[in-house]
Amino acid sequence: MSAVSLFARNFARSAVQHGLRSKIAPAAGAVRFSSYFTPAHEYIKVDGKIGTCGITDFAQSALGDIVFVDLPEVGDDFEKGDSFGSVESVKAASDVYAPVSGKVIEINEALNDEPGMVNSDAETNAWFIKIEISDEGELKSLLDEAAYKEHCENEAH
């Protein structure tokens, strides 16, 4: 096989594979993923009907060194605004509220042994609970990232 035809075959194969990936894969695997915030500094990262909840970086900064995190049990149901746990720091203790209604499907067990993770990874690895959202309409009343940033700036002044 000549070098030109080998190049043409590989180029065509690459173009077809790229075309399939760019047109089919996103549609087949498309998932709604959004972040929302409460004025009380909780966040929820939504992936389909599952929300990952915790406190924001702004909240952990205000609290100081976190020494204890109290989490609910898997299977517990909460209404939007219910306290689902608490955070204790060297400065204060604070309840943590459910940003939406739903059932707890997972808790972050790592926080039992390392509550200080909240200070270093508040909005990533130090999530508190995963909740199956029962009313997605409640997300509309939460702040998006831009509105939350403005809320924090106003609160800081």
Side-chain angles (χ1 to χ4, degrees):
M1 182 178 285
S2 75
V4 172
S5 62
L6 182 61
F7 171 77
R9 188 178 80 190
N10 287 339
F11 178 78
R13 181 181 299 140
S14 174
V16 167
Q17 288 174 341
H18 175 73
L20 289 175
R21 277 195 303 267
S22 64
K23 291 184 176 60
I24 295 173
V31 178
R32 189 183 73 176
F33 186 79
S34 302
S35 295
Y36 302 92
F37 304 86
T38 70
H41 307 289
E42 290 92 10
Y43 69 83
I44 182 168
K45 294 182 179 183
V46 178
D47 186 357
K49 289 195 62 86
I50 305 301
T52 301
C53 307
I55 64 170
T56 65
D57 190 55
F58 186 94
Q60 73 76 23
S61 179
L63 285 167
D65 293 335
I66 308 281
V67 296
F68 180 74
V69 177
D70 181 38
L71 299 173
E73 298 290 324
V74 170
D76 287 352
D77 287 306
F78 293 96
E79 294 296 317
K80 179 181 178 175
D82 286 352
S83 173
F84 70 77
S86 63
V87 178
E88 294 179 18
S89 73
V90 295
K91 291 182 185 178
S94 180
D95 284 336
V96 183
Y97 301 97
V100 295
S101 302
K103 179 182 280 194
V104 177
I105 60 167
E106 188 176 346
I107 62 169
N108 190 348
E109 300 277 357
L111 296 180
N112 291 329
D113 296 327
E114 297 181 57
M117 279 178 46
V118 176
N119 294 115
S120 58
D121 291 321
E123 294 181 41
T124 53
N125 296 327
W127 54 272
F128 288 15
I129 64 170
K130 292 191 179 186
I131 190 168
E132 184 176 7
I133 301 168
S134 59
D135 182 0
E136 292 182 58
E138 292 176 338
L139 294 168
K140 294 176 185 174
S141 66
L142 300 174
L143 304 171
D144 64 15
E145 290 186 50
Y148 180 69
K149 181 179 178 188
E150 183 178 334
H151 172 72
C152 291
E153 288 169 356
N154 291 338
E155 201 168 277
H157 292 101

